[in-house]
Structure formats: C-alpha cells, structure tokens
Amino acid sequence: MAKRPTKAPPAPLPAAAAPRKSGRPTSAKPRAKKVAAPPPPELTPESPAAPEAPQAEAQATADPFAFGAEQRQMLETLSLNLAKAAMTAQSAIAEAALSQADRPAALSPDPFNIAPAMTSVMTSLAARPERLFQAQADLFGRYMDLWSTTTRRAMGEEAPTAPATDKRFKDPAWTENPVFDVMRQSYLVTSDWMNRLVAGVEDVDPRTRRRAEFFTKLLTDAFSPSNFLASNPAALKALAETNGESLVKGMQNFAADLERGNGKLKISQADYDRFKVGENVATAPGQVVWRDELFELLQYDPATETQHAIPLLIFPPWINKFYIMDLQPANSLIRWLTAQGFTVFVASWVNPDRDKAGYAFEEYMERGVYRAVEKVLEQTGAPHANTVGYCIGGTLLGATLARMAAHGDERIASATFFAAQHDFAEAGDLLLFTDEHWLNEIEQQMDAAGGVLPGAAMADTFNALRANDLIWSFFVSNYLMGKDPPAFDLLFWNADQTRMPKRLHLDYLRQMYGRNALAQGEFEVGGERIDLSKVTIPLYFQASREDHIAPMNSVYRSARLFGGPVTYTLAGSGHIAGVINPPSAGKYQHWTNAALPETLQEWQADAQQHPGSWWNHWAAWLRPLSGDQVPARDPKSGPLPPIEPAPGAYVKVKS
C-alpha cells in the first residue's frame, strides 16, 4: 500500500494571475496607467471600522479551486493508490493468463447446458405475445411509480421509499442518497421482473424451466449495482476515507486469490491461516484405533465415568471432512455426545487420489461401512452399534442397512440420518447438475485430473447454489472494500474440500440424482437390488427447513421409504447450521410429530414447535436404544492398539 510521504509538503503557491492559455502570445502587454487612489478618510472613535485592505483583497482574489497543502497531499495519495491498484490488478491478470496459456481450453463453452433451456423459454414467450405485452406493461408501470417517487424526492417532498430488506443494500446510503436509492430500486424492479417472467413460463418441461430460472438468477445477481465499485456507496466511502488504500488492498487480495487458484479466481471465504486442523479446530480428544486404505476409525475419549453399552458410529459425507462436527469446543457435536455418556466413533474418509479412481459404491459399503462396524464391535465388545449417516454418508448408510437386512445381518441396532436423501425426486437445484451434458463435462474434468474430481470443482458447484452469500458478498468485501476475509471456522471447513473417485461420483450422480434408482428399488450393489423397505430397525431423520442441498421434503420422502418405526424432526436454518446447533446456543427452533403421514404438509400441520436445538430430542430417542451403563471406555485400552491421536492423518490431507 502506498505510504504517505514523510517530507513536509511544499508551501502553497502565492495568489497570482490566472495561467496563460495555450497558443497565446507570451510577450508582455503594455501596462495600463495607474489612477491615484483617493486618500482614506480619517477615522474617529465614532466612525465605523473599515475592513482591513489586505484581508479584503485576499477575499476578492481567492481562487475557489485552489487546494491547500493537506488537500493536495490527499489527492496525490489517492492518485498514487488508484494507479497502484490498477497495476496490481493488471499484473495479476497477466500472470494468470500466462499460467493458463499452456492448459487446454474450456471443455465446453456452455457446461451447464443453459442455451437450450433459454431457447425453449424464449420460444414459449414468443408464442404468447399477449403474455409478453402484459409483462412489459407491468414493468413500465413499476418504473413509472419509481420515477414518480424519485421526482418527488428530488423536489424536496416527503416520499416513501422501499426499505432495504436485501442485505446487499444494507448500507444506509442505499436509501438515504436519492441517486443510489434509484439505482437500487431500478435494479430490484428489473431483476424481479426478469426472474418472474422466466418462472412464469408454463408450456416448458419443468426441469428445463428450472435450469433457465437458475441461470437467470445467476445473471441478475451478478449485475447487482452492489458488485461494482462505481455504484456501491459503501465501497466509494471506503475509497475516499482511506485515500484509495482500500482499493489497493482489494487488488492485492484479488492477486493473492488468483495465485492461490493457479490462474483461476479462487475467492477466499475465510482467513485460512487462522485455523489448523488438530490445533484450533477438530480438537476433541481421542485416538485413531484403525486405519486402512479407505478410512481411519476415530474413538473419542469419554467425558463421563460411565457410558452406554451400545457404541455410536458416525459416517460423515466423503464430499467434506468430518470435523464439521468438531469445529470448536462450544459447538462440537462429538464433545456434546461424549458428555451425554455415548461412546463415539467416527469414520474419517481418506482424501482419495488417482489410485482410488475405480472405487465405487460397493467399495465404500463393504470396505467402509461393513468394516467400520466390525472394528467398532471388536473394540467395544458390544453385540450391536447405533449409527449416524450425514448427508451423502446417510445415503450410503441407508443402502447398506437394506443390504444387511436382506442378509439377516443385525449388527446395526438403529440409524440416525442428518440431512440425508434416499429419494431424489425433489432433490433441489443440484438436480440441475445431473443431466448427461453436465455429467459428460464432469467426466472429462475427472479424466484430465487422473480419475478424481478435484475438490474445487464441487466447491464451485455448491457456491453457485448460493451465489450472493458465497460468491458476491466476498467479492465485494475482499476486493471492492479491501477487507480481510473473516476468521470463521465454518467457512474454513467449507473450503477444505476433498476429491472424489470417478466411478463412485458418476455412479452416484447418475443412479441417485439421474434415475432416482434407490427410491425406485432399481439400485444394485454387487448384483443385488437394494430394497429400503426391508429395513425395520428404528430410524431417526433430521431435516432442516431452509436446506438447499437436502430439501426438507426430499428428506421426508426418503423417511417414508423404510419399513420400520421412523421419527422425523424438522430443524430451523439450513444444511449446516440446522444440524450443528448446540443446545447452549439457544438458536433457531425445531418441530416434532410422532406420526408420519403421507405428505410433509400434513406432518407440519400437526407438528409442535420447540425453541432451540433438536439435539436433546434426538438424545432422548437414542438413549433407550443404547443399552445399560458400563464403565467408561478408554480408547487406549481396547483390543485395537491406538495409532495416533485424533483427528488423525487423513483429515489433514489437502486437495
């Protein structure tokens, strides 16, 4: 960042005649003859005081455009910082272009296959000119209302303005300043009109229309005036208050993110240097008691003198790392469970590399779930284990339970599912990324990476689902405002993505999202069809009301596929905060209903709302299924010798 000069600034220039214009002759002109001024009148004590001649002359000849030393210094610093910011950005872009020069071009100019969807929507609109005319008339009317209000405000009248409920426009200047207010409102009018127009098309395949809606939303979000320096009052204010240093810092952040992404912009969502796995996140005490090529088995230290006899084994998603359940001591689900007297085990999946490219669902089931259950029972001496499956880990667990039931395997006594889907008919916007066009694109990416999907690819997909929160908010904060990314443990975890084996990932997307094969009874593992209705052990399903990854209705449909007693609980918030919500936080709410009627709407109609976390409700369900109390189990004293302290080695491998 540019530093202020330490030398004293030059003295202000004396007032002088206006500078000569270019092209004028420089020879001196004859001077006009001076006229003698009359002598000043004598002043008496009674006569009024006359103004001092030098002061009056200075006032008469003062240049209204002249800058003082301080103003000139500020202008000079601002100019230098703007130039420095521009050079930083240009240098970063040039280096990024060079780093990408020897790489193959993008596999497809339209990887999301948006063009056919937009063509279908536009064709439908063109076939209904009356609908388009009505929409244009509505837009014109809304703009007339906006300009009427704006004109009244400009004339000094009190005119109500729409409140800034969108958090992109939370700065007071967006409503208090008439210019920025009209920018904000005109953008909201236009973007709302465009999104409603596309969403209202009727004679188009629903999935095609949803793809067009998704793209239109991405487009209108990108063109928000808050995303541009010249039209963002908060960014302009920071620019003025720091003499341009905020923009210099922003361009330095931009250059650092380009370098971190090896020439592709990888926006920082957190201060990644503030966290280290095993030191200030993932710190629950325990031991790695088993390790093979697919997972590490972690057993956590007891927090009570006695524990339930039946252990609890958790299968996290292999898309993310398990320590979302152990971020900080205050919100650690693992620590909370041990404090409730449960013997807690977690399967920490390996971050797969090219050698795992051929691994499929069958390997994760047999070498993963089956083997983890075997080792937990060997370590504890218990006849059964209770299990938890989180997100995609729950999909795997559900399919495994059905296969175990078909073979009479009763080693799992109960299962809990956090935000897990088995019926993908209403799986949300992720369905947009599972048509054959996109899957072929993904397959080519994995082939180029040696048979695994890079972690950044999945992160980009999830970020696109919530672009305003996970892309544009950081774009504005990091680059336009020049702020440092926050020290936020959850966002640090969110960026710590894992790779995925080609065969497993493609089978999962095609079979689950593409064909909904598991719900239809058409999914096969090892030549056997998986029938979820054969599962009769007690099940607990947790869903979150605002979950965009595993929508609550999708989870509800999944719960009704199983054949045994099922408890469904709905939590507030979304895919992460809805699950990781300790009772001590006192946040959100949850709903319970012992019945499981045909539809979620019927379930909600009779559900009871409770304040705070759902964890206590789940623990009350789990305790009767967990056996009597036994002396607390020390991970170091079991039949499986400890390998190293938790969180182990696999979770520390970076993609």
Side-chain angles (χ1 to χ4, degrees), residues 175-219:
T175 52
E176 295 173 358
N177 186 300
V179 174
F180 291 113
D181 182 50
V182 75
M183 281 186 191
R184 171 183 69 93
Q185 293 200 63
S186 61
Y187 162 75
L188 291 174
V189 164
T190 305
S191 62
D192 180 67
W193 177 81
M194 288 182 64
N195 287 304
R196 287 177 179 270
L197 183 64
V198 172
V201 174
E202 297 173 351
D203 51 347
V204 173
D205 176 72
R207 186 171 292 194
T208 299
R209 183 180 65 240
R210 185 67 195 107
R211 188 179 299 277
E213 288 181 65
F214 181 78
F215 173 75
T216 305
K217 183 68 165 57
L218 282 180
L219 188 66

Side-chain angles (χ1 to χ4, degrees), residues 243-295:
N243 291 337
E245 290 185 5
S246 63
L247 190 59
V248 173
K249 180 64 187 300
M251 293 305 97
Q252 291 171 344
N253 290 341
F254 173 75
D257 285 348
L258 272 178
E259 182 179 0
R260 192 168 62 90
N262 296 318
K264 295 182 179 180
L265 187 60
K266 193 173 182 181
I267 301 177
S268 297
Q269 297 177 337
D271 184 353
Y272 304 125
D273 294 332
R274 291 283 296 274
F275 300 99
K276 189 169 183 180
V277 176
E279 293 187 6
N280 53 5
V281 292
T283 59
Q287 296 290 323
V288 177
V289 296
W290 172 262
R291 175 187 291 153
D292 60 23
E293 76 284 356
L294 190 56
F295 71 95

Side-chain angles (χ1 to χ4, degrees), residues 505-520:
H505 192 53
L506 288 178
D507 283 351
Y508 175 72
L509 293 179
R510 286 195 169 104
Q511 296 291 329
M512 305 301 177
Y513 282 93
R515 294 179 50 216
N516 198 17
L518 186 57
Q520 302 293 334

Side-chain angles (χ1 to χ4, degrees), residues 281-346:
V281 292
T283 59
Q287 296 290 323
V288 177
V289 296
W290 172 262
R291 175 187 291 153
D292 60 23
E293 76 284 356
L294 190 56
F295 71 95
E296 290 178 330
L297 183 63
L298 309 180
Q299 180 182 356
Y300 286 91
D301 291 351
T304 54
E305 293 185 359
T306 61
Q307 294 178 311
H308 289 283
I310 305 300
L312 182 66
L313 170 59
I314 302 175
F315 294 100
W318 57 81
I319 293 176
N320 300 103
K321 297 180 178 179
F322 80 87
Y323 66 90
I324 186 59
M325 296 176 285
D326 186 31
L327 288 173
Q328 302 285 344
N331 63 359
S332 171
L333 174 62
I334 290 170
R335 287 178 183 264
W336 186 85
L337 285 168
T338 59
Q340 304 304 306
F342 296 104
T343 306
V344 180
F345 291 82
V346 172

